[in-house]
Amino acid sequence: MSTVPNNLVTGASGLPLQPRRRMMAPVLRGVIWAAIGFLALNTLVSQVDPGPLHSYVNQVSVVFGWMGAVIGWVFGVGAWDAVVKPAFGYPLRWKETVGWRRFFEYSTDHKVIATQYMVASGSGFIIAGIAAMLMRLQLMEDHLWLFSVPQDYLETVGIHGTIMMFSLATVFMVGGLGNYLIPMMVGSNKSAFPRLSGLSVWFVPAGILTVAFSPLLGAWTTGWRGYEPLAASDGNGIVFYYLGVFALLLSSLFVALNLVATIVFRRAPGLTWNRIPMYAWAMLVVSFLNIIWIPEIMMAFVLALLDKIVPLPFFTAVGSPLTYLEMFWLFGHPEVYIVVLPALGMWMEIMPVMSRKTLFGRQWGIIGLIFVMLLSGLVWAHHMFPTMSDVEVLPFSFFTEMISIPTGFAYMVVIGTLWQSRMRLKAPSLLVLMSMFNFLIGGLTGLFLADPMVNMQIHDTFFVVGHFHYTIIGGMVFSGFAAMYYYLPKFSGRMYNEKWAQFGAYWMFLAFNATFAQFFIIGLRGMNRWVPVYPQYLQAQNFEISIFAFLLGLGFVYNIVYILWVWVKGRKVESQNPWKSKTLEWYANPNPEEDNFKEIPTVLTGFYDYSDDSHPIAWDPTS
Amino acid sequence: MRDKALFFVLWLIFSAICEWLASLIGPHFYFYVASVQAQEGQNAAAFILYMAVPIFVFVVMMLLFALFRFRARDDSIQPAKSQIKINKAYVGTWLGLSLVFNLFLFVHPTASAAQAYFNESMAYNKSPKTLIVDVVARQWEWRFSYPQYGLTQTVDANGNDFLELPVNTPVKFVLNSYDYNHYYDPQIDVIHSFWIPAFGMKMDVIPGETRTEYIEPTKISSTTQNQMLRVQCAEVCGPGHPYMEANMAVVSPANFAKWVAQQKKLEA
């Protein structure tokens, strides 16, 4: 292990560097400090509040203990030396290492942070995926056989949904790909708030582990929405649900602040608003959604947590049970656009490059993204059609149907780009086409759900489960894989093998459709949600769905393992830019040890004109 | 031009074929329909299906055109012949059609079906023939009582809660969520959802509020004959949620009268 040479006068934070003290591995120190933090605050609160019925770890003390643990963890991995002490005027003794160790400590390099995000988010995908496999295994029989009590099944459902939504779906393409690509795309050497960004990623493992270990406190059965008033009378594990999601949301909020500031203030000269790349537009609108709605759901979770631990009757029959539901979905529907807008942006980024054709109707693509962002705050109550009184339903039904118009613009733009193009069928373009097909089914089944009369039948059935898996897996996860194959040569300097990658893509696509298309059918046949025990007549189809679900799980594992293998051992690419893309990230240096650009480029033209091989910046191919 | 003509002709052909397939599936979208309201939902769903087919065919064919007709046959990187940046006719048509399509769907079937249900609800509510069933949801039980007949808790031969309805008679379900064993503790109950799959209607039962649902059953059947005809809790309500199910039957008015008399004897 070597360190940055001592003759560097200032670090990324611009403060003078001092010789570094010897210290233990930051992650190990983080774990130890987290343990100390938990014990200290938990003990203190237990002692202050020594009710005769309280155990040493009780609802109240565990909340404070958890705060101590998260602060200890974030400080231990480097925030103490690199953020807190310099903020109080102490000299900055923190120097970023090089080599593999830099990925296991606090860093201010956006490429390192993004890699940490991708790994943390990918781990969440694996953990929540295992939970999904356990659920499908249980559902192969119509009675309890894998789990001994329904609580265990329902808790698995909750952990699956929570970790998937808050650590994969909202994080991978924003904290991961966004952090990696956005500074490069806008022609900057760093993001706007590198220290905040370095801090944010460490909340992700804390949040995932909190949710994954929530059963330690007791079973919770509410699913990923933490529905009141059930949550108030539910097992204590729900406390870790609130806290874990709080940590994950905090991370996404920091990412959003950083990305907005980077896109607005750190663009290279010549990169005007008219020339901002499509993925940067997607990151901008997603970050606005995050900044608007994350604080709202955080407040809802604070209220629900107080409701649980004080306890207060906000959301019970003497309070207002519907208030929590409204507050949850007020965030919850923008949330699904937080998930899918990056995917739409990625389609518009990849397809002109792969089809060698100028992006069609670029302004309409941007208008679509912005109007989805605006309308997404007006549709939340369609998650509650059977919950609300009938007279309140129709306005939400109206906006739900209308939001398909700006969403459709992404299709209009990509289809217009593909028309009479010269499309190279490679793994990324194939995966984008698959993602467009899946998301189309997700969207069209949404028409049925937006209709109140039909909704009253299929709400809370597997039809809905099929619908949102088509939009989230079909839309976001497939586009995420497309992006990974597309950017592998940039990230790793290595190229995947087309046959093995396309084999993986077809595997995922076939298993995915075989699994989730059947969810619509079994939902219409009367299969409701959140049940490990169901009527016998549904057993045969559930058994067979589970088989396809396992194949889908293996398909994901295959693609992840293959991407990791290529990243480490794949064939080296001769060209830094094998797709001959014109966006700036392909002109940037992917090596985390070095700056993105030796010299900040001046952008001369837009990025999406593929009628010739010209460069959008002054470019010397030999450099 | 050749591409456009080919696309248009193929789109018409495949839309026609898929509409024909949809016309086979559409009338059976709900699998089992046993009430006036489920039939209305079924009609709405079938209509949406027919409307969605041409859009589905359009986008899928565009993807297939990209895959087969516009695919580069070799690995060389050359610009496509067409570099069109905008086509106002295409954008205008897309925008106009998607507006018209969505507004149309909102008027029919969205608003029209909702209106039909509201009208039925008001008519049933006024009608003296309507059977009123009080439904209490609690963790984890459905309890049915018939105030017009003085029945407080109807049960089957095994003593389990049981719902029985006369065919072709409007029913008003009055839905409440509270635990009649723990009425002193307001926190004890949660949100449930009253769902009979064959009736095509669902209503959440909220603690502290009273909700109503209006149904007119049209088929004589029972849970033992068809499991779509069961009272199922559809909203997660705790560990007992999977077991929160009650059996039911729809019978002829004569058999219903007999059943009421028998229940009265049981409760006496």
Side-chain angles (χ1 to χ4, degrees), chain A residues 236-282:
Chain A
N236 289 334
I238 195 84
V239 171
F240 269 179
Y241 159 82
Y242 294 131
L243 295 172
V245 177
F246 198 88
L248 291 166
L249 289 168
L250 197 62
S251 171
S252 284
L253 186 59
F254 288 167
V255 171
L257 293 169
N258 186 30
L259 288 181
V260 168
T262 307
I263 295 168
V264 175
F265 297 113
R266 296 205 65 93
R267 276 173 289 139
L271 212 170
T272 60
W273 279 91
N274 263 336
R275 291 176 180 162
I276 292 179
M278 297 311 284
Y279 195 63
W281 267 112

Side-chain angles (χ1 to χ4, degrees), chain A residues 238-517:
Chain A
I238 195 84
V239 171
F240 269 179
Y241 159 82
Y242 294 131
L243 295 172
V245 177
F246 198 88
L248 291 166
L249 289 168
L250 197 62
S251 171
S252 284
L253 186 59
F254 288 167
V255 171
L257 293 169
N258 186 30
L259 288 181
V260 168
T262 307
I263 295 168
V264 175
F265 297 113
R266 296 205 65 93
R267 276 173 289 139
L271 212 170
T272 60
W273 279 91
N274 263 336
R275 291 176 180 162
I276 292 179
M278 297 311 284
Y279 195 63
W281 267 112
M283 286 298 109
L284 193 64
V285 294
V286 162
S287 297
F288 277 128
L289 281 176
N290 273 329
I291 291 170
I292 296 167
W293 297 113
I294 286 182
E296 188 272 329
I297 188 67
M298 282 176 142
M299 283 314 299
F301 277 8
V302 168
L303 289 177
L305 183 65
L306 291 174
D307 196 78
K308 175 80 185 165
I309 64 174
V310 171
L312 296 166
F314 292 147
F315 305 123
T316 61
V318 295
S320 166
L322 286 188
T323 302
Y324 177 84
L325 278 61
E326 303 271 10
M327 288 177 79
F328 184 85
W329 289 117
L330 199 50
F331 154 82
H333 202 82
E335 159 77 5
V336 306
Y337 289 101
I338 291 169
V339 174
V340 89
L341 286 178
L344 304 185
M346 195 47 83
W347 298 353
M348 295 188 264
E349 201 62 57
I350 293 178
M351 279 327 221
V353 179
M354 301 307 286
S355 64
R356 310 312 297 171
K357 184 158 169 259
T358 306
L359 185 64
F360 177 87
R362 184 177 123 80
Q363 62 273 49
W364 287 99
I366 298 166
I367 290 170
L369 294 175
I370 291 173
F371 272 82
V372 169
M373 176 191 110
L374 297 175
L375 282 178
S376 71
L378 300 173
V379 300
W380 80 91
H382 68 216
H383 295 268
M384 301 167 59
F385 278 171
T387 321
M388 304 187 298
S389 48
D390 291 332
V391 290
E392 297 163 356
V393 164
L394 281 177
F396 295 101
S397 190
F398 177 78
F399 285 116
T400 305
E401 284 168 9
M402 288 305 137
I403 203 169
S404 69
I405 297 173
T407 315
F409 289 173
Y411 276 90
M412 182 178 79
V413 167
V414 179
I415 284 174
T417 306
L418 288 173
W419 185 257
Q420 293 187 331
S421 67
R422 197 173 180 282
M423 212 240 347
R424 283 185 297 161
L425 190 66
K426 305 285 178 190
S429 43
L430 180 66
L431 278 160
V432 169
L433 292 179
M434 289 171 171
S435 176
M436 291 177 74
F437 175 83
N438 296 335
F439 192 68
L440 174 70
I441 294 185
L444 290 178
T445 49
L447 286 177
F448 296 92
L449 287 158
D451 186 288
M453 201 63 188
V454 184
N455 185 289
M456 295 299 179
Q457 171 68 343
I458 54 189
H459 203 98
D460 287 334
T461 68
F462 266 51
F463 191 96
V464 178
V465 184
H467 163 73
F468 67 70
H469 281 88
Y470 260 96
T471 56
I472 296 175
I473 299 183
M476 179 264 159
V477 176
F478 273 73
S479 300
F481 276 111
M484 288 313 284
Y485 281 116
Y486 181 67
Y487 283 112
L488 253 182
K490 180 92 263 174
F491 291 162
S492 64
R494 292 164 193 274
M495 194 59 176
Y496 64 88
N497 176 310
E498 205 54 58
K499 269 185 200 152
W500 292 115
Q502 291 201 16
F503 167 71
Y506 281 112
W507 181 354
M508 277 195 302
F509 181 72
L510 294 176
F512 170 76
N513 278 288
T515 307
F516 287 103

Side-chain angles (χ1 to χ4, degrees), chain A residues 52-63:
Chain A
L53 298 173
H54 287 179
S55 54
Y56 171 63
V57 177
N58 58 57
Q59 280 183 353
V60 180
S61 74
V62 83
V63 173

Side-chain angles (χ1 to χ4, degrees), chain A residues 150 225 356 358 361 386-387 397 401 404 409 420 422-424 426 448 451 456-457 459 525-526 530 535 610, chain B residues 3 45 70 72 74-76 80 83 85 95 102 106 110 195 197 200 202 204 211 227-228 230 235 239 241:
Chain A
R225 311 159 309 164
R356 310 312 297 171
T358 306
T387 321
S397 190
E401 284 168 9
S404 69
F409 289 173
Q420 293 187 331
R422 197 173 180 282
M423 212 240 347
R424 283 185 297 161
K426 305 285 178 190
F448 296 92
D451 186 288
M456 295 299 179
Q457 171 68 343
H459 203 98
R525 290 179 69 207
W530 305 294
Y610 283 96
Chain B
D3 286 330
F70 303 136
D74 56 65
D75 263 352
S76 67
Q83 292 292 338
K85 281 186 186 151
L95 191 60
N102 280 291
F106 179 72
T110 297
W195 183 42
K202 188 179 282 120
D204 281 12
R211 292 284 157 94
Q227 297 250 297
M228 289 280 276
R230 66 183 196 273
E235 183 60 77
H241 169 62

Side-chain angles (χ1 to χ4, degrees), chain A residues 576-588:
Chain A
Q576 279 281 331
N577 186 357
W579 311 117
K580 296 276 183 288
S581 169
K582 291 192 178 186
T583 32
L584 283 185
E585 74 273 22
W586 293 97
Y587 295 90

Side-chain angles (χ1 to χ4, degrees), chain B residues 15-30:
Chain B
S15 291
I17 295 172
C18 290
E19 285 289 2
W20 175 70
L21 288 174
S23 72
L24 301 180
I25 301 167
H28 308 288
F29 202 79
Y30 273 22

